[in-house]
Amino acid sequence: MTNQPPAPEPAAAAEVPIASSEITSPETRPPGPRRPRTAQRTTLRSDLRASWPDGLVALLVTAAVFVLLYIRIRNKTSSTVSVMPFMADAGGFWMYFLSQAFGWSALLWAWGTVVLGLLLSGQRPSRLPLSGPRLERLHRTTSLNTIALITAHALLFGAELFRHSTDAWNSALGTAFVETFVPGGYTSGTGQIAIPIGQAALYLAIPLGLLFYVRHRIGPKTWRVLHRFVIVVYVLSVWHTLLYGTNVWYDGWFRTSVWLLQLPVAALLLVRLLRPARRSEELPLSPGAAPSRTGWALRLGGRLAVVGVMVALVVVVVSGSDGGRTVPPDDTSSTHNHD
């Protein structure tokens, strides 16, 4: 028998690093088994890189809202002039109006983030404009941009307080920081309640939005439980807007439109609860069929609460009244056009 030289081990050949430019065709590919492709792990850095198109759109929307607000202030057709007549000089308070614009785009992006999250977390519709992975990435990028927009909204509000302060710069800076970022620091009017609500939305949005990137450390179950509180951030954002958004200070079509936008969120949340993606989240017909009677009661109560919210939203939209301010100050014109 003739001794033949041993054949080269395929594994060794596969371990040789080869530049991508060297692999031009199947004929030039080195022999040996190909390594299976592994899914690229989602990181904060990769999502930040992917978020710039969505962020650019957010900035364009913010710019458009700012121009609209500025024009309405100049024409004295905005409720802001009714609330604060001294702001009729739009040029002198442009930073405040820019803060408002960022606030409105933040609310819009938060709305989109919640809608995408509800679509992705339950039994997904058969027809969606984008694939599941693309929708999931869009959900993450809109979440990151929502955090950025809320932060810009707060920073510009604080900058306006600092700019118009008559104190020394260090005292003015400290006061502006406390009034903007410290709960209870703002002690004027409706802001005593509205600003802490907005602060709570910001301080919850940051960790809840970023926990996704450390879910492998805290565990997927813990992450899912905490992530559900994102809806609380959204509710706080809407509450802050309706309390302190001078553009929606009075009852009217603009304020009613804010309530109208909440109907799709409530409907998707109800569908998510009635048709959960996991069997463990389903609601049996009787409490005896559930692992825990307390859990069954809580799930039933959650579904009934969402139904109650939907009924309340319909009543508000149809009636056009939600308990908001209805009488403008005496120093406004009778022909004033309210938002």
Side-chain angles (χ1 to χ4, degrees):
M1 178 179 287
T2 305
N3 292 330
Q4 295 182 353
E9 296 182 5
E15 290 173 0
V16 177
I18 298 175
S20 59
S21 58
E22 296 177 4
I23 303 177
T24 56
S25 67
E27 288 77 17
T28 60
R29 187 179 295 121
R34 298 179 63 184
R35 289 184 176 181
R37 292 185 178 181
T38 57
Q40 186 178 6
R41 181 175 161 187
T42 302
T43 63
L44 177 59
R45 181 178 297 180
S46 65
D47 276 350
L48 285 173
R49 285 198 299 264
S51 67
W52 72 263
D54 177 68
L56 180 60
V57 174
L59 290 177
L60 292 174
V61 170
T62 302
V65 173
F66 172 72
V67 171
L68 177 62
L69 294 177
Y70 193 88
I71 292 174
R72 289 180 65 79
I73 292 293
R74 289 285 299 271
N75 295 339
K76 298 181 179 177
T77 57
S78 171
S79 293
T80 299
V81 181
S82 298
V83 179
M84 297 174 287
F86 61 90
M87 284 193 174
D89 176 18
F93 295 93
W94 65 269
M95 197 174 289
Y96 175 77
F97 304 132
L98 185 58
S99 171
Q100 281 193 319
F102 270 104
W104 280 111
S105 56
L107 184 63
L108 180 60
W109 254 248
W111 183 89
T113 300
V114 170
V115 168
L116 287 172
L118 290 172
L119 284 173
L120 291 167
S121 62
Q123 295 184 15
R124 301 180 188 179
S126 56
R127 293 183 180 181
L128 287 173
L130 296 175
S131 64
R134 289 188 177 183
L135 281 176
E136 289 175 1
R137 167 160 280 193
L138 182 60
H139 174 59
R140 297 194 303 270
T141 58
T142 55
S143 174
L144 293 174
N145 282 315
T146 299
I147 294 173
L149 292 168
I150 296 176
T151 304
H153 169 63
L155 287 172
L156 285 166
F157 180 79
E160 183 73 315
L161 293 176
F162 171 76
R163 192 166 72 99
H164 284 276
S165 176
T166 57
D167 298 335
W169 74 268
N170 53 345
S171 176
L173 182 62
T175 301
F177 176 83
V178 169
E179 291 186 344
T180 305
F181 294 104
V182 178
Y186 196 91
T187 58
S188 175
T190 311
Q192 297 179 71
I193 301 174
I195 287 185
I197 291 173
Q199 291 165 342
L202 172 61
Y203 298 149
L204 284 174
I206 294 173
L208 291 177
L210 299 181
L211 276 176
F212 171 82
Y213 303 100
V214 294
R215 69 194 185 284
H216 59 286
R217 295 184 180 180
I218 64 175
K221 185 176 180 180
T222 301
W223 172 77
R224 282 197 301 268
V225 172
L226 293 175
H227 191 66
R228 289 171 183 171
F229 286 93
V230 169
I231 193 71
V232 176
V233 176
Y234 179 69
V235 171
L236 291 172
S237 301
V238 176
W239 191 7
H240 169 76
T241 301
L242 292 172
L243 273 179
Y244 211 55
T246 51
N247 312 103
V248 289
W249 197 269
Y250 302 114
D251 287 341
W253 70 267
F254 197 20
R255 187 178 178 93
T256 302
S257 298
V258 175
W259 286 103
L260 184 62
L261 282 174
Q262 312 319 313
L263 273 172
V265 175
L268 285 172
L269 179 58
L270 183 61
V271 171
R272 165 70 176 82
L273 293 174
L274 294 178
R275 300 177 58 192
R278 298 178 181 84
R279 282 183 171 273
S280 59
E281 297 177 356
E282 293 179 352
L283 179 69
L285 295 178
S286 64
S292 168
R293 288 181 177 269
T294 303
W296 183 88
L298 289 174
R299 287 174 183 167
L300 177 62
R303 287 155 173 78
L304 293 177
V306 175
V307 172
V309 168
M310 291 188 65
V311 172
L313 288 173
V314 171
V315 171
V316 168
V317 171
V318 172
S319 66
S321 176
D322 64 342
R325 299 162 181 83
T326 55
V327 181
D330 295 334
D331 58 357
T332 58
S333 170
S334 59
T335 59
H336 185 79
N337 219 357
H338 303 307
D339 280 341

